[in-house]
Amino acid sequence: FSDQDIIELEENQKKPVFVKTVGKIYDLRFYQKPEDIKKGRLHFISIDPSDGTGSDNYAIVVVDPYTLETIMEFKSPYMSPTDCKKLVEYMVRMYFPKPMIIVESNRNGIAVSDKLKEGWLRPFMYASPEADSSIELGRDVLDEKGFIKEQLMRRKYFGIKTLGTSRSIMMGLLTDAVRFRKDILTAEYVVDDINHLVLKDGKIQAAPGEHDDVIMAWVICMYTIYYGKKLERYGFHKGHLPDDIEMDDEFVKLQKLYQNPIIRQQFPTMYEFWKNHQEEQMRKEHALRVKEEMDSQKISMDIGAIQTDDMPDDMDFIAGQTSNEEAWKTSLRNRWFSLNK
């Protein structure tokens, strides 16, 4: 990223408004006051596990998938899968009762997923549709040595892999966000990680001696928002605003956000909401303008003693009606062009 990008990110960087210490060593850093968190709203909880031996961090990021704001972040180099499970259970009980939990599916992530699946959080864990119970993956099929083969195969469906194509897409989302949506990149750990990314052999990664765990948790979350499969299973409908939103400052803020053509291009979920919300209003405005124009034409025709009733019902007249539809398309197209400019 350019020096200007980094300067702007650092200027927008925020300190947490509230820090909750759990178990004396784990700090949950909130960017919304706990009383302001909308507990009836779905939140995405993304986990990037590590080996917990002090090298890399366990990182957790909580994002509101509707506003794309980071609500909470956490990192610790000293953690076990069991402690991670206890911490996530605490977070869900206290602050995010409607979660979708996304775990990076690496070797440590599989262990964390297994721990989370042992308890009551299992229904909230993101899995690809192949792991959906509706396609009968619950059977216990034994192989020739007596192992539960199908049960073991199910493990690979949980979480998100960060290899090859998926990682490239994640880095693309990050690059777009840095260029066009710096307003959603304000959490302290997230910005710190971005500042220490380098490009090596065509791959975006942490500089030597630095870490990218928190930003990886963030991009995993964003990747799931835009490319996750059948998220309706967890209560998230792409392009729809949450049921708890009201005609307040937040709604106005979202409306302005969705009108940005760059966001429309880079973040289609938000664009679809804006388009669906505004299209009907635009049609009504156009219909009103057409009616006013037709009325003015009728007056001029009456003055010339040529009545509209005398107009022949032939192809020329029908072509005139079609031109109204073309005029609407032209009007709509011109508005998009002006927005793009």
Side-chain angles (χ1 to χ4, degrees), residues 258-259 270-278 336 339:
Y258 299 165
Q259 292 174 18
M270 294 191 294
Y271 163 58
E272 283 302 318
F273 160 72
W274 183 79
K275 178 177 177 295
N276 295 337
H277 182 77
Q278 295 289 346
W336 290 134
L339 273 175

Side-chain angles (χ1 to χ4, degrees), residues 3 16 29 73 89 136 142 151 155 175 183 209-210 221 227 238 244 261 264 283 295 312 323 330 336:
D3 290 342
R29 298 160 60 87
E73 63 180 359
E89 287 179 338
E136 299 182 352
L142 302 182
Q151 185 72 17
R155 299 168 71 189
T175 303
D183 60 298
E210 303 293 343
C221 200
Y227 298 99
K238 293 184 179 182
D244 61 5
R264 178 177 82 241
R283 283 184 177 274
D295 289 344
S323 67
T330 301
W336 290 134

Side-chain angles (χ1 to χ4, degrees), residues 325-341:
E325 179 66 19
E326 291 301 320
W328 183 86
K329 291 180 180 178
T330 301
S331 172
L332 182 61
R333 192 179 301 115
N334 289 339
R335 295 187 71 168
W336 290 134
F337 286 159
S338 64
L339 273 175
N340 280 323
K341 290 177 183 178

Side-chain angles (χ1 to χ4, degrees), residues 51-111:
D51 56 17
T53 59
S55 53
D56 289 340
N57 291 299
Y58 262 81
I60 302 176
V61 171
V62 180
V63 171
D64 182 331
Y66 298 99
T67 65
L68 304 184
E69 294 176 339
T70 299
I71 308 300
M72 193 218 81
E73 63 180 359
F74 161 85
K75 68 177 179 181
S76 173
Y78 306 107
M79 199 175 212
S80 67
T82 299
D83 283 349
C84 183
K85 173 189 175 183
K86 291 178 180 178
L87 185 64
V88 174
E89 287 179 338
Y90 175 83
M91 289 165 49
V92 173
R93 282 196 184 100
M94 297 299 297
Y95 306 108
F96 309 107
K98 292 183 65 177
M100 185 168 77
I101 302 168
I102 312 138
V103 182
E104 183 187 5
S105 185
N106 56 17
R107 65 182 187 276
N108 298 310
I110 291 174

Side-chain angles (χ1 to χ4, degrees), residues 9 33 45 57 70 97 126 136 138 163 175 190 234-235 245 258 301 305 318:
L9 285 170
K33 294 179 180 178
I45 300 177
N57 291 299
T70 299
Y126 174 77
E136 299 182 352
L163 299 173
T175 303
V190 168
Y234 305 93
I245 199 163
Y258 299 165
M301 286 180 174
I318 294 173

Side-chain angles (χ1 to χ4, degrees), residues 4 34 37 45 52 72 78 85 87 99 112-113 138 164 181 183 186 193 228 248 260 289 338:
Q4 185 60 36
I37 295 174
I45 300 177
M72 193 218 81
Y78 306 107
K85 173 189 175 183
L87 185 64
V112 171
S113 291
R181 289 299 315 276
D183 60 298
T186 58
D193 276 8
D248 56 8
N260 187 321
R289 288 198 299 272
S338 64

